[in-house]
Amino acid sequence: MLNKNPEAAEAPPLTVRNLTSTPIELKLIERFNALDDGWSIANITRSHKPINTAKAKAPTAAQLAANLETFSNQALSIRIEPFQTHRTDIDVRGKSKNQVLRYIFEHNGERYRLDALSTMNGSATLQPLTINPRYKYTAIYLANHSFLALFSSANLNRWMREMKDETPLSALSIPGSHNSPTYHKALPSVRCQAHSPKTQLENGVRFFDIRVQPENPNKSEKDGLILVHSAFSISLKGNYYFRPLVNDILAFLEKSPSETVIMSIKREGTGNATDTQLGHILHEHYTGDTKRWFTEPRIPTLREARGKIVVMRRFHIDDELKKEWNGKGWCIDAEIWADNTPNDTCASGHICVQDFYEVLASENIERKIEFAEAQFERAAKCQCDLSCIDIKDMAETSWPPFYLNFLSASNFWRTGCWPERIAARLNPVTVEFLCMKHNTSEESDGPKELGDGSTGIVVGDWLGNNGNWDLVRCVVGWNARLELREKKN
């Protein structure tokens, strides 16, 4: 497990991990004096906000001219192949603990620049030094480990277009949100997200966890579904409904036809509605348009799923709906998994889940971290069979199940275990794991088999809080290994 201590007495030499599908070469490192007002990697590059950094204003052009005078530079030629790690002997801090390092990387004659404060975690898009560059790279720097991870995950709003149509949806690394619409002002134990579903979609989230309560279950002509979290409404101001949420998702998919959204739907709340009633409301009022909804009880390919909502059903259906799709059933079956489980597989075989959520004390968060990392390893070792393109042969393929990995946990009675507090600990630790340890071959008992490196579906709380989408960037970035294999196939 990664060191959770944010401070380190001595920083190790620089390590660079190339998690892109292209080789890249580190050509130059320059060192600059940093300003004294705590500006970070994102401030320097004018990119998105970093991990766990203090708020600071970006330096002005005059400040840069006055302070960013190089006092050393080091020419290098360190080539790092795709999905390889290179441990250098470069001391990133040197004699000064308050300096900026400018890294110059090169691929196929195109150069890219990254400026990073050596003592602060951060993330940024590399700045191209050529016109119309072919590639975009994202860097995440972990100061405590002097570790720099490079991803090709800059285009979060349309990231699925990079993958082939034949790709099984379960083979992808997919960012997801837990209790996705709970971004309104609500009880601290109820609110799980910092941003609206619309903003989540634009920033790469492609799995929504939705809990609803039928408003008029005994009136078949009514389609009202109240958004809830357990027994509570998602807002202190009153009810919010499923229909506007669906409209937002479909509008996003209309303008982004390369994408898909997996929607897990579960019945919760305090009413007297049944699962059967929920199923018929969805079937009769929402999911009938097969051009916009995928409700077959199987894992689709991207070709089948693009532009659609793929329904993952966490409720019981009656015999009538079980007759759908030539008697095979209706929607991907996630009806039952063990409660509070570190590892379970649904009866359908389509979903393997980690959903350990009862954190009785903040100390138990360490157990949650261990369970999440174990699920990452299960997902990573799978290697998808890309040989089957014909849907008729689907049953004979060795496609992996969906690996659902919930980073969420809570305890209503302990403020330190409310969703925002849990996310503040789990999200950065997960970013470190995905950058440094995920799908590695270094084991005390010898090398382990490397698969496609999928993360599975990573379901988190408080995504994008304070502008930090690094967890989403890491998850999306891990599709590069599968993408590279697809291009060679």
Side-chain angles (χ1 to χ4, degrees):
M1 189 178 298
L2 294 171
N3 179 12
K4 314 302 186 298
N5 182 8
E7 300 294 334
E10 292 185 7
L14 174 69
T15 296
V16 182
R17 191 178 188 195
N18 180 10
L19 295 173
T20 78
S21 58
T22 64
I24 196 162
E25 189 172 354
L26 178 58
K27 302 292 290 186
L28 178 69
I29 291 181
E30 295 180 286
R31 299 174 188 266
F32 301 87
N33 287 318
L35 302 180
D36 295 326
D37 56 358
W39 48 288
S40 66
I41 183 173
N43 301 124
I44 300 165
T45 60
R46 304 294 183 93
S47 184
H48 59 85
K49 293 182 180 179
I51 322 167
N52 295 339
T53 58
K55 293 182 179 179
K57 294 181 179 179
T60 65
Q63 287 174 314
L64 286 172
N67 291 274
L68 280 187
E69 295 183 1
T70 179
F71 60 80
S72 75
N73 62 74
Q74 183 177 0
L76 301 164
S77 182
I78 300 175
R79 181 182 171 90
I80 311 165
E81 298 296 330
F83 314 106
Q84 297 298 311
T85 300
H86 188 93
R87 294 173 178 83
T88 75
D89 59 359
I90 299 170
D91 182 359
V92 295
R93 296 189 183 180
K95 296 180 180 180
S96 171
K97 291 186 178 181
N98 191 30
Q99 60 179 287
V100 176
L101 270 68
R102 172 167 291 173
Y103 301 87
I104 304 296
F105 291 95
E106 183 176 287
H107 173 64
N108 279 354
E110 297 180 349
R111 290 201 167 192
Y112 302 81
R113 189 188 75 204
L114 171 71
D115 295 337
L117 194 63
S118 61
T119 56
M120 191 173 291
N121 287 356
S123 60
T125 301
L126 273 64
Q127 302 299 305
L129 302 179
T130 55
I131 299 174
N132 298 322
R134 293 182 58 196
Y135 300 94
K136 292 184 178 181
Y137 299 102
T138 297
I140 295 180
Y141 180 67
L142 306 170
N144 194 40
H145 307 280
S146 303
F147 196 99
L148 184 63
L150 297 175
F151 292 93
S152 8
S153 56
N155 297 316
L156 292 181
N157 59 342
R158 305 287 186 276
W159 63 265
M160 286 182 165
R161 65 184 175 186
E162 305 299 330
M163 310 304 296
K164 283 189 174 182
D165 281 346
E166 294 78 21
T167 306
L169 203 54
S170 60
L172 294 177
S173 298
I174 299 175
S177 56
H178 167 245
N179 275 292
S180 307
T182 60
Y183 70 102
H184 303 279
K185 186 176 181 180
L187 296 172
S189 60
V190 171
R191 184 177 178 183
C192 297
Q193 297 302 326
H195 296 283
S196 69
K198 289 174 68 175
T199 300
Q200 293 175 41
L201 288 169
E202 291 294 342
N203 284 277
V205 176
R206 296 294 180 266
F207 173 92
F208 279 173
D209 171 34
I210 308 297
R211 322 293 176 94
V212 297
Q213 174 65 37
E215 188 174 39
N216 298 286
N218 296 316
K219 297 180 179 180
S220 59
E221 72 276 11
K222 299 290 186 179
D223 68 354
L225 296 173
I226 302 170
L227 298 171
V228 296
H229 180 181
S230 187
F232 304 98
S233 173
I234 66 170
S235 172
L236 293 175
K237 295 182 179 180
N239 292 334
Y240 283 79
Y241 289 85
F242 184 66
R243 176 70 71 182
L245 171 63
V246 168
N247 290 341
D248 286 344
I249 297 172
L250 292 176
F252 171 79
L253 294 173
E254 182 73 22
K255 70 176 183 179
S256 308
S258 63
E259 309 303 291
T260 183
V261 174
I262 303 171
M263 182 186 286
S264 167
I265 305 176
K266 183 183 180 185
R267 181 183 60 83
E268 288 186 350
T270 58
N272 59 0
T274 66
D275 281 2
T276 297
Q277 289 169 326
L278 171 60
H280 281 281
I281 290 171
L282 290 168
H283 183 265
E284 294 163 19
H285 295 285
Y286 289 93
T287 65
D289 186 353
T290 57
K291 293 182 179 179
R292 310 189 86 180
W293 295 81
F294 184 91
T295 60
E296 292 189 47
R298 61 175 177 83
I299 297 169
T301 62
L302 258 179
R303 176 188 282 112
E304 297 173 293
R306 293 193 200 273
K308 300 177 184 178
I309 298 173
V310 177
V311 182
M312 188 176 284
R313 172 177 57 81
R314 291 189 65 188
F315 54 87
H316 175 75
I317 56 175
D318 62 12
D319 290 341
E320 183 178 347
L321 288 182
K322 288 179 181 177
K323 295 176 182 177
E324 290 287 304
W325 297 106
N326 297 319
K328 295 179 181 179
W330 186 66
C331 303
I332 298 172
D333 182 4
E335 179 181 340
I336 299 174
W337 66 60
D339 186 55
N340 199 39
T341 180
N343 179 27
D344 192 29
T345 300
C346 295
S348 65
H350 292 148
I351 300 162
C352 175
V353 63
Q354 180 280 124
D355 189 20
F356 176 80
Y357 63 86
E358 289 186 357
V359 179
L360 303 180
S362 58
E363 292 78 11
N364 289 346
I365 295 176
E366 301 303 319
R367 293 188 65 204
K368 174 68 177 182
I369 293 170
E370 291 175 4
F371 294 148
E373 291 180 359
Q375 183 76 340
F376 280 129
E377 292 182 357
R378 283 187 282 271
K381 69 182 182 181
C382 293
Q383 190 166 73
C384 181
D385 181 3
L386 301 175
S387 62
C388 176
I389 297 177
D390 192 337
I391 302 303
K392 295 178 181 179
D393 296 332
M394 187 173 298
E396 299 178 7
T397 69
S398 56
W399 289 359
F402 288 107
Y403 282 92
L404 269 178
N405 200 352
F406 283 87
L407 303 185
S408 53
S410 66
N411 183 333
F412 181 84
W413 305 107
R414 292 181 180 270
T415 59
C417 296
W418 286 344
E420 185 176 8
R421 303 285 182 85
I422 297 286
R425 289 188 62 182
L426 251 70
N427 291 359
V429 169
T430 303
V431 168
E432 284 196 5
F433 180 85
L434 293 177
C435 287
M436 297 180 64
K437 294 290 186 179
H438 185 64
N439 205 39
T440 59
S441 60
E442 298 176 6
E443 292 290 317
S444 58
D445 57 352
K448 65 179 180 182
E449 183 178 351
L450 293 177
D452 286 330
S454 172
T455 66
I457 301 175
V458 184
V459 189
D461 281 338
W462 285 84
L463 301 177
N465 194 26
N466 295 320
N468 178 1
W469 296 95
D470 290 328
L471 177 58
V472 175
R473 289 180 177 276
C474 284
V475 173
V476 172
W478 266 106
N479 286 298
R481 193 180 187 101
L482 176 62
E483 180 186 351
L484 180 62
R485 197 160 67 85
E486 286 185 337
K487 289 178 179 178
K488 293 179 177 179
N489 189 48

